[in-house]
Each structure stands twice: as C-alpha cells, then as structure tokens.
Amino acid sequence: MAAARAAWCCTWGAWARWARTQHSGGIGATHALAALTGVVGAALLPRLPPPWMLLACALLALVLLLRIARLRLIGVLLLAFAWTAGMATQVLHARLPPALQGQDLRIEGRVVGLPEAGADAQRFDFALERASRDGQPLALRGQVRLSWFGATPVLAPCQRWQLTARFKRPHGQVNPGGYDSERQAALNGLIATGYVRGASTARSLGTSAPCVDALRARIARAIATALPASDAATPLLQALAVGDQRGLSEAHWRVLRATGVGHLIAISGLHVGLAGIAGALLVYAFTWLWPQVLLRWPRRVLAAPVALGAAWAYGALAGYGLPTVRTLLMIAVVAWASTRRRGVGGMQTLALALLAVLLFDPLAVLGAGFWLSFAGVALLVYALQPGRGWRAWLAELGLAQGVMALALLPLTVLLFGQASRVGPLANLVAVPLMGFVIVPLTLLASLMLVAGLPGGVAATRFAAWLMRAQWDLLQHMAAWPWALAWLPWAGAAAFMLACVGVLWVLAPRGVPARLLGLPLLLPLLWPQQQRPAAGEFQAWVLDVGQGSAVLVRTARHALLYDAGPRYRSGFDLGEAAVVPSLQALGVRHLDRLLLGHGDADHAGGAAAVLAAYPATLLQGSEPERTGLPLLPCVRGQRWYWDGVEFSVLHPGIGDAVSGNESSCVLAVRGRGGTLLLSGDIGARSERAVARDWAANHQAGAQPLVLLLAHHGSRFSSSDMLLDALRPRLALVSAGYRSSYGHPHADVLARLQARGVPLFNTADHGALRVDMRGNGPRLTLGREQAPRWWRE
C-alpha cells in the first residue's frame, strides 16, 4: 500500500510538472473532464481492484503523460482512476475490523464538530487517537460517531476524553430512493459508529488548543442568547452564520426542499464569495485613504490575498463543506492569476478548482453537493452571457434562477427523486434578500456579539425579523399543493436524454431549434412504470432495521403493511425510509395502511405515512395504542384487487389476545403464489393460524413466501406453523447485529431442517418479491446495485 501511494504521488507530481510547461490554457476543461471520468469510474466500482493492479495503472499513466503526447488525456483518466481507487482502499482499510464489533474498547481522542443534544442522548463525532482492548493497544485511528445515553456531562468542541465505547462498522438501510448512510460514511471518513459505555469510567482530559469549532459554538450560543427563547429565526441564523444545522427540524427541511432554497441555508458558495468581496472592499477602502500604497503595489494585487483570506476564514466557520471548498478554490485561482497579472476565464477557473478537489478529495464525487455545485456553476457559465450595467446584472440574476432550475433538473431527479416547481420563483426572491442583506447582516451581528460591541443584539434581532419575513413567504409557497414533485427513477437512458435536452435548450444563441430540447426531458419527468399484470402482485419488504414495513402492489392498487419504527429520540423511519421508498417506487395513492399491532416498531411511522398519503384507508389492531381510527382486523375479512386475493387469518372475533398476539396476519394470494405477513404473533397464535390453514388450503398447492413472525424471535415460526405452511422461501425484517438476537439460532435451525432459504433485510437490504405466474422471484437490494463502500 505504501509503495502504491508513493507511485501515485510521484505520478501526480510528474503530471503537474508537465502541466506547468504548457501554455496558459494548457490545463482546462478537457483535463478536468478526463480526470472526472476516471474518478467517477473508480468511485462507482462494485468491488475495488487489488493494490498491484492500481500500481500498474499508475505506472501506465506515468508513461502516457511523459512519453506519448497524443494519449495524455487517457493518462490523466487512468491516473485519476488509480488515485481514487487507492483512496477508497484506504477508507475501507481504516474501518473497524469485524472482530472488534461489539467489543468494549478503551479510547482516547477529542470531540470534533458541534455535539448534538437529543431527547435521549448526546451525539458527537470523535477523533480517535488511541484505542485498546483489555490493555492491548490497537491500530485503530480515525473519526467515529458516538452516542452518549443517559445523564451525561455537557460536551463541547475540542474537549478531550478517555472513554469506554462499543462500536460497529458503518451500516445503513438500503431501500429504493433511500438515504445511503454507508456511502456518506465513506465520504466523511467515518470508520465506525457506536455508543459510550460505563459513564463512570469516562475521564475528561481537558480541552485541546483553541479550535474553529469552539468559535462556531460560541457564535451559535451568542445568537441564541440575543434572541427571545423559541424564536423561529434562531436555528436559521445559526445555520447561516456558522453552518450550525442542529436546530433545523424536518419541518424546516420540508420547506427548503419544496422551495429549492436549501443551498442558501446551508452555507454556500454565494456566502463565501460575499466574504471574499468584503475583504476586497476593505483593501479598496484602505487604498482610497492611503493612495500612496498604490505606487508600490496595484490594487488588484493587494486585494487578491485579502479576499482569499477573508473567504478562507469564513469557510472555516462554515465547516468546509464542498460548495465552500469549491468557491475557495475558485477564489484562490483568481487570486493567483491576479497576483501574476494573468487573465483566467470562468470555465478554466472552474476546471482548475475541479482538478484541485479531485486531487485532494476524489471521493467527494460520492456526495450530491459535488455535482450540484460544479454542474450548477458550469451551466451558468455555459448559458449566461455577462453584460454591463446594473440593468444587465438584474436581468442576469433573474435569468440565472430559471437557468439553474432547468440545468439541475436531471441531477435533482437522479439524486433526490424530486423537483421543486416553485424553486425559480422562490430563489428569485430569496437569493438577493438572503445573499445580499440577511447573510451580511447576520455575519456582522455575529462579529459584534462575539467582540462584545454595542449594537450586536439589535443587529441580530433585525436580521431575525428579516429572516422571519422571508421564512413566512417560503412556508406559504411550500404549502402550495403543487410546489414539490416526487419523480420515480426512470433509468439511465432517460437521465442521459434529459441532460442532452438541457444542454440543447441552454445552448448559446445561434444554435437552431433550441426549444426542441424540451421534449427530451419527458421520459425523465413522466417515466413509464412496469406494474404487475392482472392476477400478479409485487411485494417490497423494506429495510427499516428492527421494525416492519411491507409494500404490496397489484396492477392498480397499493397496500402498506406496517409503517416502520419511530424511536424515543424522535428519529422516524416512516419519514426517513418508508415514505421516500413509496415515492421512489411511484406510489401516488396508497389504498390501505394495515398496522399489524400497536408496537412502535410497526406503527411508529404511521403518522409520517398518513401525512404523505392522507386519503389512505386505515385498518389494524390495537387502535387504542396507535391513537388512530383503525377499522378492525378480523379473521375472515377478504377483498380482491386486480385478481389478487387479500385475506385476514388472525385474530378471530372474540379472541382474547393483546399485544403481539393480537397482530393482524394477512395472506396475499395471486396466481403465482402466496405471501403470508404474520406480524409479531407467537406460538400460541401460530397454532390457530396453522389449524385454519390446514383446514382451508391444500398444502403445497402454491409456492408460499413467509415473512417470519416477530423478526425471527425464538418463540415464533414454530414447527407446527412451518409444517402447515411448507414455505418455499422465508424473509425476515430485523436490525443489523440485532440486540435481541433476531433471527434466533433456533429459528434458523428449524428453517434449515426443512430446506427453506432465509433472507434478512439486515444483510441484503430491501427484499423485492415478484409473484408471477411462474412463482416467486426474489431481488436483493444490496446485490442489485453492489458498491465497494458496502463491503
């Protein structure tokens, strides 16, 4: 590994030396695109190549760069590929070894970032510097994410601690349209997640040298102190000032998504650029007062480093997000060109910034911010022709919102499965007000508060008043029923066609028939969906951890059995996983929500599902626990959708059952087989289901797919039930490294004795079952789209 790293560094250095020998336009868009192609090719690999192959690739790139002029772009591509794959290999190598999962480790390090105080725990990132197990040191270094439950000391940035913690490797749910936390862990360099154990053994080691995060926390506290308690503008101003998004709730993000202005709340390139302009204006003011300075240095030469320094200081307060880094690099390129008295075009500036990002952090391509940031700026440079005067500036500002909305439409559909219809209008109002008024005022007020200058509180409250007025308008726009469109994924071909259409529409004047590019977007915006045929159905056992959520679709109807868990911390997988999956699968109307019973891991996400699908019919057991007007779930109920039979097998009328034993058991029968959803019933209720099944169904007449009861509990999936059902396939929805031990070894043994294969959402992600005429066909979420970061 060390040899490969050295070879890559040498090759990058050789290419840089070659580039310096070229003319001023030698490094441009073609080199950046070649490097980007190589980086993306490596970042999306299902498996990483061995180190020797990467070393050979780097050496070949070196030969092409230095010896064969016509193939230098291929050399850049190969070098970028090897560099990215090597960085990815290091990311995987740094992760927690599997043998250390679930072990108590003694660790030492410091708190990084801004700790978040939740309802049940404090959560924080921790830079791990030393680790040991049973007194034996471990070669484990890197950043981990910890939760500290119970009564804990108030954590602050830069504090050093010695703790006992238990870890697991990064692992997340894999669902259609879902958030990929494992990819995000690779992007952020997280090597493990875990929780603090033995709080009595925790030992504070003091505070490290002053750090930027401590200043960020201080400014955030100062803003909160200056405003009345529970002021709606407080979390928004904290996010604008120092990138502190801890106070932003899901309601905030819902408004930001619907209006397409999230890039303004998260510290963006616009904010950093304004900081750079402020630095340059200070230099201009200084030279106006002391013009004799200009006899030695031109104004632009003096302004460039000051602007860069101001932007860099604000970028540090922002936490160096990708849009921030991109803008800083672009300012650095312009500053370099100014000090050398060279002119650099917009596209070349962007290309140099792109190359710098790919050199220092090639895995940044795994984040949505990378693509939105660079693609947005590139398409603005491509589409807009700069004019002179304030009228041209205003026209360009208004036109830019429409250009950005259209230009980034294919990317937003690809990355988020949605598009804001009111985004251009919302940005037309929000960009000038927030970018040129609220943000500068907030920054000025923050500096005044920290410095203790008079007027800081008044400035903060004025900024809060403006922010509340802006936010009220955004909330009103977000409430429009057509504000946000959810779009299911239409495929790579539709995405590429839409990209061609966007480039055609935004082409410079003189390109003929530019409006003909608009129809090329239609396959992406109105995709054709494959629905089950009459008599057939499709089921998705969603990956919701230690919980349950199953979508069943026929040709024209959709049923959701359970809605996923909601935890005491407030984290709701109904909102975070179930609803995005339904929308990604193109479910526009949910006909029925059937809640097996009232436990939070089955019914916790119901409120989020109903908020997205308010016209849904509700059915289930234990309405008193769920607080919802549920139609009763009683044995003998039956309905038909598109030739598919749905029948309730349990509980019966008058059954004296409650809790787990009251779970609704639903059988879905099509011409290709039957799916049995058994809730959380135990052996007692399974006996009744087995007797009913034996009396009313011919054993083995149809293939049967069984969702194991109670997540594979030891006291469910009894011999009697398995013998009566004779399942062809068994599925289970359980948590990764379940603390309950689900699925239990006894259940695994019973299934193995009968030759029934078992598939677990914790291991395979969302499980899709297509029940067609030739029997069930199973698709595994993790195997359908394998990626190296899921190893």
Side-chain angles (χ1 to χ4, degrees):
M1 183 61 65
R5 190 184 313 149
W8 296 327
C9 292
C10 290
T11 310
W12 273 113
W15 180 60
R17 288 193 300 273
W18 163 78
R20 285 196 296 268
T21 65
Q22 307 303 304
H23 55 81
S24 60
I27 302 179
T30 55
H31 302 97
L33 288 175
L36 181 62
T37 303
V39 168
V40 172
L44 297 183
L45 287 172
R47 298 286 184 272
L48 293 175
W52 66 264
M53 188 177 295
L54 299 181
L55 180 59
C57 186
L59 293 175
L60 176 59
L62 180 64
V63 172
L64 295 178
L65 285 172
L66 298 180
R67 298 296 182 185
I68 308 177
R70 291 176 299 175
L71 300 180
R72 278 173 178 159
L73 287 179
I74 297 178
V76 172
L77 186 153
L78 292 176
L79 179 58
F81 177 89
W83 179 252
T84 306
M87 294 289 285
T89 301
Q90 288 189 330
V91 166
L92 293 184
H93 183 72
R95 282 185 176 176
L96 180 78
L100 295 180
Q101 293 190 110
Q103 302 292 316
D104 284 343
L105 305 182
R106 193 66 175 167
I107 62 173
E108 183 178 318
R110 62 182 175 85
V111 177
V112 297
L114 302 177
E116 181 178 355
D120 60 338
Q122 288 193 84
R123 293 174 173 83
F124 58 101
D125 286 352
F126 194 73
L128 187 60
E129 299 168 356
R130 294 183 182 86
S132 62
R133 181 180 60 175
D134 299 330
Q136 298 298 317
L138 300 170
L140 189 63
R141 304 289 184 274
Q143 189 163 308
V144 297
R145 185 155 294 164
L146 286 171
S147 298
W148 197 339
F149 295 92
T152 63
V154 177
L155 299 175
C158 312
Q159 287 181 343
R160 295 181 55 80
W161 285 88
Q162 192 178 74
L163 305 167
T164 300
R166 186 169 288 184
F167 293 104
K168 65 179 180 181
R169 290 165 67 87
H171 187 92
Q173 284 84 35
V174 177
N175 290 301
Y179 174 73
D180 192 339
S181 61
E182 293 170 67
R183 182 183 64 190
Q184 195 65 31
L187 178 62
N188 295 335
L190 285 179
I191 66 170
T193 60
Y195 60 96
V196 176
R197 285 174 51 84
S200 60
T201 64
R203 186 162 65 95
S204 174
L205 302 178
T207 302
S208 60
C211 64
V212 173
D213 287 331
L215 178 59
R216 295 175 65 203
R218 183 182 173 189
I219 293 175
R221 286 194 302 270
I223 292 174
T225 304
L227 297 176
S230 303
D231 192 308
T234 299
L236 298 168
L237 293 187
Q238 289 172 330
L240 287 176
V242 293
D244 179 8
Q245 299 180 4
R246 295 175 296 175
L248 298 181
S249 66
E250 180 56 32
H252 287 105
W253 291 114
R254 197 176 298 119
V255 172
L256 295 173
R257 285 194 297 265
T259 55
V261 299
H263 64 100
L264 295 176
I265 295 298
I267 293 179
S268 67
L270 173 63
H271 305 157
V272 177
L274 289 174
I277 291 173
L281 290 177
L282 287 176
V283 172
Y284 276 64
F286 177 80
T287 55
W288 180 75
L289 292 173
W290 289 278
Q292 60 269 27
V293 175
L294 298 178
L295 297 176
R296 293 180 59 95
W297 297 285
R299 184 179 283 118
R300 60 184 298 183
V301 173
L302 287 174
V306 176
L308 179 60
W312 213 273
Y314 184 51
L317 287 179
Y320 289 124
L322 185 63
T324 303
V325 172
R326 185 260 303 162
T327 306
L328 288 174
L329 291 172
M330 293 183 68
I331 294 174
V333 171
V334 174
W336 170 81
S338 296
T339 56
R340 297 175 65 90
R341 303 182 185 183
R342 291 184 177 182
V344 180
M347 195 62 76
Q348 188 179 3
T349 301
L350 186 65
L352 291 171
L354 175 59
L355 285 170
V357 169
L358 297 180
L359 173 61
F360 290 104
D361 186 15
L363 297 184
V365 297
L366 297 178
F370 173 90
W371 297 101
L372 296 176
S373 178
F374 279 101
V377 175
L379 288 168
L380 282 177
V381 174
Y382 169 73
L384 296 182
Q385 304 296 324
R388 293 181 177 273
W390 65 272
R391 290 186 180 88
W393 181 83
L394 286 177
E396 189 174 319
L397 179 64
L399 183 59
Q401 309 314 315
V403 168
M404 289 291 285
L406 178 62
L408 297 181
L409 180 60
L411 274 178
T412 54
V413 174
L414 169 67
L415 298 171
F416 307 115
Q418 62 186 37
S420 172
R421 296 189 180 100
V422 300
L425 179 59
N427 276 275
L428 186 61
V429 177
V431 166
L433 180 58
M434 294 180 66
F436 299 104
V437 180
I438 297 178
V439 170
L441 183 59
T442 301
L443 293 179
L444 177 62
S446 300
L447 292 175
M448 295 173 69
L449 289 173
V450 172
L453 298 176
V457 172
T460 304
R461 293 188 174 182
F462 181 53
W465 179 79
L466 291 174
M467 189 70 249
R468 284 192 298 271
Q470 173 70 81
W471 191 251
D472 288 344
L473 176 61
L474 293 176
Q475 284 182 309
H476 179 71
M477 297 177 73
W480 294 345
W482 48 271
L484 184 65
W486 290 93
L487 300 168
W489 176 232
F495 172 73
M496 296 302 297
L497 199 62
C499 291
V500 172
V502 165
L503 291 175
W504 192 352
V505 171
L506 298 180
R509 294 175 183 175
V511 175
R514 289 186 296 170
L515 291 181
L516 291 181
L518 290 176
L520 299 182
L521 276 70
L522 296 180
L524 184 72
L525 301 180
W526 284 276
Q528 291 185 346
Q529 291 186 293
Q530 293 183 349
R531 302 295 297 270
E536 299 177 352
F537 66 91
Q538 180 187 90
W540 285 85
V541 181
L542 299 178
D543 185 3
V544 291
Q546 191 71 19
S548 173
V550 183
L551 172 67
V552 181
R553 303 184 75 181
T554 65
R556 293 176 298 173
H557 295 84
L559 173 143
L560 183 66
Y561 180 91
D562 289 339
R566 189 178 191 274
Y567 299 104
R568 289 182 299 172
S569 64
F571 182 59
D572 188 344
L573 274 163
E575 185 173 56
V578 178
V579 171
S581 294
L582 297 181
Q583 291 166 335
L585 293 171
V587 177
R588 299 186 181 277
H589 174 71
L590 191 62
D591 296 277
R592 187 176 302 219
L593 172 60
L594 196 157
L595 299 176
H597 70 124
D599 280 0
D601 59 336
H602 292 252
V609 172
L610 292 175
Y613 299 93
T616 301
L617 175 68
L618 294 173
Q619 185 179 5
S621 65
E622 300 190 298
E624 67 284 353
R625 291 183 64 195
T626 61
L628 297 171
L630 303 177
L631 295 176
C633 184
V634 180
R635 182 174 63 240
Q637 291 174 332
R638 184 174 285 106
W639 66 94
Y640 294 87
W641 287 342
D642 308 316
V644 177
E645 179 190 80
F646 294 77
S647 57
V648 177
L649 306 184
H650 180 81
I653 298 177
D655 286 355
V657 292
S658 61
N660 289 348
E661 298 295 350
S662 70
S663 295
C664 295
V665 178
L666 180 69
V668 185
R669 182 180 296 106
R671 68 186 185 192
T674 301
L675 172 68
L676 188 68
L677 306 173
S678 49
D680 271 358
I681 61 172
R684 172 189 170 189
S685 298
E686 286 184 349
R687 286 193 291 271
V689 172
R691 287 194 298 268
D692 178 78
W693 190 269
N696 296 287
H697 302 84
Q698 183 179 355
Q702 269 193 324
L704 185 138
V705 178
L706 173 65
L707 181 66
L708 294 186
H710 203 185
H711 319 289
S713 166
R714 178 183 183 184
F715 303 105
S716 300
S717 305
S718 60
D719 287 313
M720 183 177 183
L721 182 71
L722 295 177
D723 289 338
L725 299 179
R726 297 185 184 180
R728 176 87 55 91
L729 192 63
L731 312 176
V732 63
S733 179
Y736 176 68
R737 297 182 59 82
S738 168
S739 58
Y740 301 98
H742 295 161
H744 196 273
D746 290 354
V747 175
L748 299 178
R750 289 197 284 269
L751 293 171
Q752 187 175 11
R754 291 165 175 80
V756 181
L758 174 66
F759 296 89
N760 188 351
T761 56
D763 300 323
H764 303 290
L767 308 173
R768 169 182 164 180
V769 180
D770 290 287
M771 200 68 78
R772 299 174 179 172
N774 55 355
R777 178 182 177 184
L778 179 65
T779 304
L780 308 177
R782 287 183 177 269
E783 281 72 10
Q784 186 178 23
R787 292 290 182 261
W788 60 265
W789 57 80
R790 293 176 183 161
E791 292 184 2

